[in-house]
Amino acid sequence: MFRLLRLQSSRKPRPTGAQRRDKHHRAVMAIRREDVNPWERRAPLAPRHVKELNNDGVKVLVQPSNRRAIHEKFYMKAGAIIQEDISEASLIVGVKRPPEEKVIPRKTYAFFSHTIKAQEANMGLLDDLLKKEVRLIDYEKMVDANGYRIVAFGQWAGVAGMINILHGLGLRFLVLGHHTPFMHIGMAHNYRNVSQAIQAVRDCGYEISIGLMPRSIGPLTFCFTGTGNVSKGAQDIINELPVEYVEPHELKDVSETGDMNKVYATVLSRRHHLVRKSDGIYDPMEYEDHPELYTSHFRTSVAPYTTCLINGIYWDPHTPRLLRRLDAQRLIRPLKSSCALNEGSPALPHKLLAICDISADTGGSIEFMNECTTIDKPFCIYDADQHIDHDSVEGNGILMCSIDNLPAQLPIEATEYFGDRLFPYIWEMLLSDATKPLSEEEFSPQVRDAIITSNGALTPKFEYIEKMREKREKAQILKKIGMKRVLLLGSGYVSGPVVEYLTRDERTQVTVASVLLKQAEELAAKYPNTIPIMLDASSQEGHLASLVKDHDLVISMLPYSFHPTIAKHCIRRKVNMVTASYLSPAMKELQSSVEEAGITIVNEMGLDPGIDHMLAMECIDQAKADGCTVESYSSFCGGLLAPECSDNPLRYKFSWSPYGVLLNTISPAVFLRDGEVVSIPAGGTLMDSSTTMDFFPGFNLEGFPNRDSTEYAELYGIQTAHTLIRGTLRFKGFSKAMGAFVKLGLINTEPSPILQHPTSAVSWKELLCQQMGLSSSISPEAFEEAVCKQVGEDQFRMDTLRWLGMLSDDAVPHADTILAALAKHLEAKLSFAKGERDLIILRNDVGIRHPTGELETRQISLVVYGEPSGFSAMAKTVGYPIGIAARMVLDGEIGTKGLVVPMTKDIYGPALARLKEEGLHIVSKSTLQE
């Protein structure tokens, strides 16, 4: 009887009493839904495991899933609670990785993370786990004292892989002109259970035994690498054929003269093909410590006599490969046939027809297996001469099958098998408290040594992952010689024009480093010589330092608070830097260090600040050159939405987090008006100071002052000005609507415990009642009356709150603060829809007194619309100035050392000219008064 069938009814592991939790201590665990791969129908535990947990007082939550092969009614019958919300659980188990956005902070998770080799595709997940302080237990690293995995699907990977490759051989033989018994074996997932698959293999074996294999193809030989569970599972399937096992050195003879009424198999262990490079001897003890001293002769001693290779060995970069591309080229050379065959009985083109790489280790022991196949596209033909894969079973080459989730094809048996191996360790996993230091926990070596992350850091055993990542990134970055290398920190929507502009020069390479790897990858895919990498600058300062070292220039699109830290790394490595942010006090403190390092750090090179500076100084410098004095200066700038998109009470939409915009509403401001300093205190009166801006009457604009404008009298050299104001533009109604949030106390950055609890929702009505000191049980009429009074009896503000759903019982988004919750709410309500466009308006009015006594008012305007299918207006007006400045620094056009702002002609002259070439149309008009 088939061994795997017996395993299903084998021992049911039970932990000892000491391992169990006290039944009065109600532990909660959850089985999460598998939602990354559509073929993933497994679960980490079967209903009988859940029943035993439930009987011992453990509350088991199971996320509903119609895709799961074992119906949820069986889990319910076992005592599980089927529900979507699993945040109550302290332990969450799955099979494969969850999407980053579904990872719950400060929980213990157990799943296959595929991160231990620093796999690039999963580094985003790893960083998210670290950021959320998740304790990750990776099944792949749960091993016994001898290093063998104890919680795995390996046996079932071997079973499914072997069934698949027999099916594939049937297809390949047919293409080569032969109908064989293998044609009646299907893919593993096409069978209701493994018993049906076994019967199909047995039927195939019967036909082979009665001589129905075409004689012209010769005896079939199968080689199994490895002696672990994967190999054993595959052998369990071939054992259902009439098979004779031989030693590897006997394979040559049976491949030429063997019996056609059977197939032949050999199991390859290390001693059969590994030899020391120096003397051809195999020493198993030495190999364990120094595999790099050995090579494999598999390519010459076994592969030439193998019809199908089933590879199940783990590969490490230090270990020898089984097959290389050169070996494959030799192995697919045509065979010299010794007998005359007719057209209806063709000979095989070469002996090695197929490889089933169950290890699915790309670029591993099978060097030319560069990409895994999938369950829905299981086969390809590798053409070694062309070094390409054909998505077919036709063509010249070797049939490849390298599916990386094989057990998902037999999900019920795989779940039972895996659950039996995981179950004994569930009890100690339940005791894990991810909020505690790992040193305070008591785990068995099997669990402790499988913990990859805990308390926001890689555990000591896995710290090597970060070094592997950095090494791979470094090799990628430095691969091309003679390049000017730019490190772009941030992959937000304004980064596109920066990359586009810089990569026009084929000698420039841009590394996009972002905490959002997928976003960086999407950006990099659009442009040549662009490399995406994952970087969280807030927690990976060592990684940041390494990246800075390998580049000629750093561009920071991160929040201004990061810039001093980034600048210090640039100073240490003598690397230039460009940023669009204001020159903060913390940055100014670095002036002498920057000069001593002999580097240039360009600041305030965006739109506002940036283009506004350059237009101002171009006008002011020309006025001074003409012998004039500047009597007034007014500059207003706004990122708006195109008028046809202004369909909400704020007349505003967000393409990024509204947090900064909201916080600005309570900022202070200082400006000069007719020789008098006007101060607006912090706390919310800024919105009351807005005034109508009528220079473009059709736009119905309003403006309010921004920061301290008076400091620009010295920066611009216009101490003669009696009026000096810099401000923000919005469509009329914005300030009044924002004033409602201010008056209700929603611009609040203090921690808010009631909004932080993930399992309890708070409605807007409840939140506003708390802010106003009212009972949440107040009647709707009394509630609205109280709110109306709080916002100054202003109906427009009430209509705004009503339109935004903030007078209802709708839930407030979970957040650490009220302001953060409001920002999330507005981002969801007021985001740009597909096809909508934004608008930038910048207006400088400069009052110039001529020597003749005439007063000229110079009106300088920039109006830019976004492109629905291209860059937004904000992206163009921020990104292109940065890109231009970066290019000027790289090419030595900006040679000033130290902290630089674009207020000198050597910078603003070329920069403004190049902005015009990018389609930014600047209009300048004048009016004269006697």
Side-chain angles (χ1 to χ4, degrees):
M1 186 63 180
F2 182 53
R3 182 168 59 88
L4 286 174
L5 292 179
R6 295 199 305 270
L7 278 173
Q8 293 178 47
S9 58
S10 66
R11 62 170 183 83
K12 185 174 173 183
R14 293 184 61 86
T16 66
Q19 287 177 300
R20 299 180 183 276
R21 281 193 171 209
D22 189 294
K23 288 187 179 182
H24 299 291
H25 190 119
R26 187 71 164 162
V28 183
M29 69 167 292
I31 299 174
R32 65 169 302 275
R33 175 174 54 249
E34 303 297 324
D35 45 13
V36 170
N37 188 306
W39 284 97
E40 191 50 78
R41 298 174 290 158
R42 293 171 289 176
L45 296 172
R48 60 185 173 84
H49 304 118
V50 170
K51 183 177 182 180
E52 188 159 348
L53 287 164
N54 188 65
N55 289 343
D56 283 299
V58 178
K59 182 178 180 181
V60 182
L61 308 177
V62 176
Q63 274 192 322
S65 174
N66 287 349
R67 185 181 289 141
R68 194 180 291 119
I70 300 178
H71 198 280
E72 60 189 40
K73 75 176 184 179
F74 296 110
Y75 284 99
M76 292 176 66
K77 189 175 180 181
I81 299 171
I82 310 298
Q83 67 180 48
E84 185 66 29
D85 184 5
I86 57 174
S87 59
E88 181 186 358
S90 60
L91 171 66
I92 299 172
V93 296
V95 176
K96 293 292 189 178
R97 55 160 289 172
E100 284 101 299
E101 66 273 12
K102 294 186 179 179
V103 174
I104 304 172
R106 293 178 287 281
K107 300 287 185 182
T108 298
Y109 276 81
F111 57 86
F112 288 106
S113 71
H114 300 293
T115 60
I116 60 173
K117 295 181 184 178
Q119 291 95 318
E120 195 168 357
N122 294 318
M123 290 300 94
L125 170 67
L126 182 63
D127 286 326
D128 192 66
L129 297 174
L130 291 168
K131 187 175 182 179
K132 293 178 178 176
E133 299 181 3
V134 164
R135 179 170 293 161
L136 168 62
I137 302 170
D138 194 316
Y139 305 131
E140 190 170 358
K141 298 305 294 181
M142 294 182 69
V143 297
D144 62 18
N146 297 315
Y148 293 110
R149 290 172 57 185
I150 53 178
V151 180
F153 290 100
Q155 196 114 4
W156 290 95
V159 170
M162 194 68 216
I163 294 169
N164 292 341
I165 200 62
L166 293 178
H167 168 71
L169 278 171
L171 299 177
R172 183 59 177 161
F173 277 130
L174 189 64
V175 167
L176 296 175
H178 310 280
H179 170 80
T180 66
F182 297 115
M183 279 298 296
H184 302 301
I185 298 176
M187 290 288 287
H189 63 267
N190 287 334
Y191 298 102
R192 183 178 297 276
N193 53 49
V194 74
S195 300
Q196 291 186 356
I198 291 167
Q199 188 57 54
V201 176
R202 286 175 177 168
D203 291 344
C204 171
Y206 171 73
E207 293 188 357
I208 293 173
S209 70
I210 62 174
L212 297 188
M213 283 294 292
R215 296 288 164 180
S216 62
I217 68 175
L220 297 188
T221 55
F222 293 82
C223 178
F224 298 86
T225 62
T227 56
N229 288 332
V230 168
S231 182
K232 289 175 182 175
Q235 291 170 53
D236 282 334
I237 293 298
I238 204 171
N239 288 343
E240 301 300 324
L241 299 177
V243 60
E244 178 182 335
Y245 282 87
V246 298
E247 288 296 309
H249 70 270
E250 299 175 309
L251 208 60
K252 183 177 187 296
D253 288 340
V254 299
S255 73
E256 296 170 352
T257 62
D259 186 348
M260 288 295 297
N261 291 359
K262 63 174 71 172
V263 300
Y264 295 89
T266 190
V267 180
L268 194 76
S269 60
R270 290 175 177 176
R271 62 185 174 85
H272 291 127
H273 70 108
L274 294 174
V275 292
R276 193 159 44 218
K277 295 174 184 177
S278 60
D279 57 12
I281 303 297
Y282 174 65
D283 182 339
M285 299 297 290
E286 181 187 56
Y287 180 78
E288 286 291 337
D289 296 329
H290 297 287
E292 71 279 0
L293 300 178
Y294 285 74
T295 187
S296 169
H297 55 67
F298 172 80
R299 62 183 72 94
T300 55
S301 61
V302 180
Y305 316 110
T306 300
T307 307
C308 179
L309 168 64
I310 297 90
N311 184 38
I313 57 173
Y314 175 85
W315 184 78
D316 181 88
H318 300 293
T319 59
R321 285 189 165 93
L322 279 178
L323 292 175
R324 304 160 301 173
R325 179 191 175 191
L326 181 62
D327 303 324
Q329 288 176 328
R330 292 170 179 163
L331 290 167
I332 64 172
R333 287 173 183 167
L335 293 171
K336 294 179 180 178
S337 180
S338 59
C339 58
L341 300 172
N342 62 49
E343 188 176 346
S345 302
L348 296 178
H350 42 80
K351 184 64 178 178
L352 183 60
L353 290 183
I355 297 175
C356 181
D357 192 355
I358 301 176
S359 72
D361 209 344
T362 55
S365 54
I366 310 296
E367 182 185 36
F368 47 84
M369 199 286 280
N370 292 316
E371 187 174 354
C372 292
T373 58
T374 61
I375 295 175
D376 49 335
K377 292 184 178 180
F379 306 112
C380 68
I381 293 290
Y382 174 67
D383 185 338
D385 292 327
Q386 304 275 339
H387 194 47
I388 56 174
D389 294 324
H390 299 286
D391 188 14
S392 170
V393 295
E394 301 182 34
N396 298 319
I398 302 169
L399 181 75
M400 302 291 295
C401 181
S402 53
I403 299 168
D404 64 359
N405 58 336
L406 286 165
Q409 292 183 271
L410 298 167
I412 296 177
E413 293 94 336
T415 294
E416 295 275 359
Y417 177 89
F418 185 84
D420 282 346
R421 280 142 189 81
L422 174 62
F423 188 74
Y425 302 98
I426 287 292
W427 303 96
E428 59 180 291
M429 291 182 185
L430 278 166
L431 294 169
S432 173
D433 182 349
T435 64
K436 285 184 177 180
L438 187 57
S439 59
E440 296 181 9
E441 300 278 29
E442 294 184 10
F443 293 117
S444 66
Q446 291 84 358
V447 173
R448 183 191 63 232
D449 292 345
I451 297 174
I452 294 179
T453 67
S454 186
N455 310 107
L458 290 167
T459 56
K461 187 177 178 181
F462 296 98
E463 288 174 348
Y464 72 87
I465 293 176
E466 190 61 39
K467 293 182 177 65
M468 286 183 69
R469 292 177 67 178
E470 292 180 16
K471 184 177 179 181
R472 181 180 62 227
E473 290 168 359
K474 188 181 186 75
Q476 190 178 13
I477 291 166
L478 301 180
K479 184 177 181 179
K480 292 185 178 180
I481 60 173
M483 304 292 283
K484 292 182 177 179
R485 297 184 176 89
V486 178
L487 174 62
L488 175 62
L489 301 175
S491 59
Y493 76 109
V494 297
S495 297
V498 180
V499 181
E500 187 276 327
Y501 187 86
L502 290 173
T503 55
R504 293 177 192 174
D505 181 353
E506 61 184 13
R507 297 167 300 140
T508 301
Q509 176 179 288
V510 179
T511 302
V512 182
S514 173
V515 71
L516 302 173
L517 180 59
K518 186 176 180 181
Q519 191 179 69
E521 290 172 338
E522 290 172 353
L523 179 59
K526 298 176 183 177
Y527 305 105
N529 297 325
T530 306
I531 300 168
I533 63 169
M534 165 72 71
L535 174 71
D536 185 348
S538 65
S539 61
Q540 297 176 312
E541 198 168 334
H543 190 190
L544 172 63
S546 176
L547 288 170
V548 169
K549 177 184 175 183
D550 293 331
H551 291 81
D552 303 301
L553 175 74
V554 175
I555 299 173
S556 178
M557 306 297 286
L558 301 179
Y560 75 93
S561 58
F562 286 91
H563 294 158
T565 298
I566 297 164
K568 288 174 184 176
H569 288 295
C570 289
I571 292 167
R572 196 170 296 119
R573 296 297 180 182
K574 293 181 167 51
V575 175
N576 297 318
M577 177 177 168
V578 176
T579 175
S581 298
Y582 281 104
L583 188 57
S584 66
M587 286 291 287
K588 290 176 181 178
E589 291 176 1
L590 301 175
Q591 173 70 39
S592 60
S593 299
V594 175
E595 290 175 353
E596 288 172 11
I599 64 171
T600 301
I601 297 184
V602 181
N603 305 267
E604 305 190 13
M605 194 63 187
L607 167 64
D608 175 8
I611 296 177
D612 59 343
H613 289 333
M614 294 189 284
L615 291 177
M617 293 310 300
E618 182 182 50
C619 177
I620 291 167
D621 284 349
Q622 184 60 53
K624 290 180 178 179
D626 293 339
C628 304
T629 57
V630 175
E631 293 192 351
S632 65
Y633 176 81
S634 169
S635 178
F636 280 82
C637 182
L640 308 161
L641 65 168
E644 71 271 17
C645 305
S646 57
D647 55 357
N648 65 74
L650 266 71
R651 283 76 161 163
Y652 197 78
K653 290 185 179 179
F654 301 93
S655 50
W656 68 98
S657 173
Y659 192 92
V661 174
L662 292 168
L663 193 59
N664 189 51
T665 61
I666 59 172
S667 298
V670 181
F671 61 96
L672 189 65
R673 182 173 57 200
D674 296 329
E676 181 183 348
V677 175
V678 180
S679 296
I680 298 173
T685 56
L686 182 64
M687 292 297 96
D688 297 330
S689 69
S690 66
T691 57
T692 298
M693 310 298 290
D694 57 3
F695 47 78
F696 291 139
F699 279 124
N700 195 26
L701 298 168
E702 65 181 21
F704 49 88
N706 183 24
R707 300 177 179 246
D708 184 355
S709 301
T710 61
E711 64 184 31
Y712 288 90
E714 182 176 350
L715 288 171
Y716 288 174
I718 53 173
Q719 292 89 340
T720 54
H722 58 72
T723 295
L724 202 167
I725 183 170
R726 298 175 80 252
T728 301
L729 289 175
R730 294 287 183 260
F731 286 132
K732 194 166 287 185
F734 175 89
S735 298
K736 184 175 281 191
M738 281 288 181
F741 304 147
V742 174
K743 292 180 181 300
L744 288 168
L746 300 179
I747 314 300
N748 187 338
T749 59
E750 295 295 319
S752 177
I754 66 167
L755 297 180
Q756 294 173 0
H757 201 286
T759 58
S760 61
V762 176
S763 71
W764 281 107
K765 179 186 175 184
E766 289 171 331
L767 178 62
L768 293 182
C769 283
Q770 176 186 277
Q771 292 300 101
M772 295 184 295
L774 301 174
S775 169
S776 59
S777 61
I778 190 173
S779 69
E781 295 79 12
F783 167 67
E784 289 209 11
E785 185 179 338
V787 173
C788 187
K789 183 177 180 181
Q790 189 73 23
V791 299
E793 305 285 350
D794 191 301
Q795 195 56 48
F796 175 78
R797 286 172 172 165
M798 291 296 292
D799 290 342
T800 298
L801 294 169
R802 195 172 289 111
W803 189 93
L804 291 169
M806 295 172 65
L807 299 180
S808 69
D809 290 324
D810 291 351
V812 180
H814 291 296
D816 291 333
T817 67
I818 295 175
L819 177 57
L822 178 60
K824 286 183 178 180
H825 184 68
L826 294 186
E827 187 173 13
K829 288 280 188 178
L830 303 176
S831 59
F832 279 88
K834 186 175 181 180
E836 292 187 333
R837 56 182 184 158
D838 67 334
L839 165 69
I840 290 294
I841 298 177
L842 169 62
R843 172 65 172 239
N844 287 354
D845 288 275
V846 187
I848 301 169
R849 182 70 66 179
H850 286 262
T852 59
E854 293 175 311
L855 178 63
E856 177 188 1
T857 302
R858 189 78 54 84
Q859 300 141 356
I860 307 163
S861 304
L862 172 66
V863 178
V864 181
Y865 283 91
E867 301 168 22
S869 58
F871 295 131
S872 68
M874 183 65 77
K876 287 190 281 189
T877 53
V878 174
Y880 280 131
I882 290 176
I884 289 167
R887 171 59 56 205
M888 292 174 71
V889 173
L890 287 171
D891 293 347
E893 286 186 81
I894 299 178
T896 305
K897 306 305 178 185
L899 299 174
V900 175
V901 289
M903 296 184 190
T904 54
K905 190 171 184 178
D906 61 323
I907 298 177
Y908 70 66
L912 288 174
R914 290 167 196 175
L915 285 171
K916 290 174 184 176
E917 292 173 2
E918 300 305 321
L920 274 62
H921 186 53
I922 299 162
V923 177
S924 183
K925 298 179 181 180
S926 291
T927 58
L928 281 174
Q929 287 179 265
E930 293 292 337

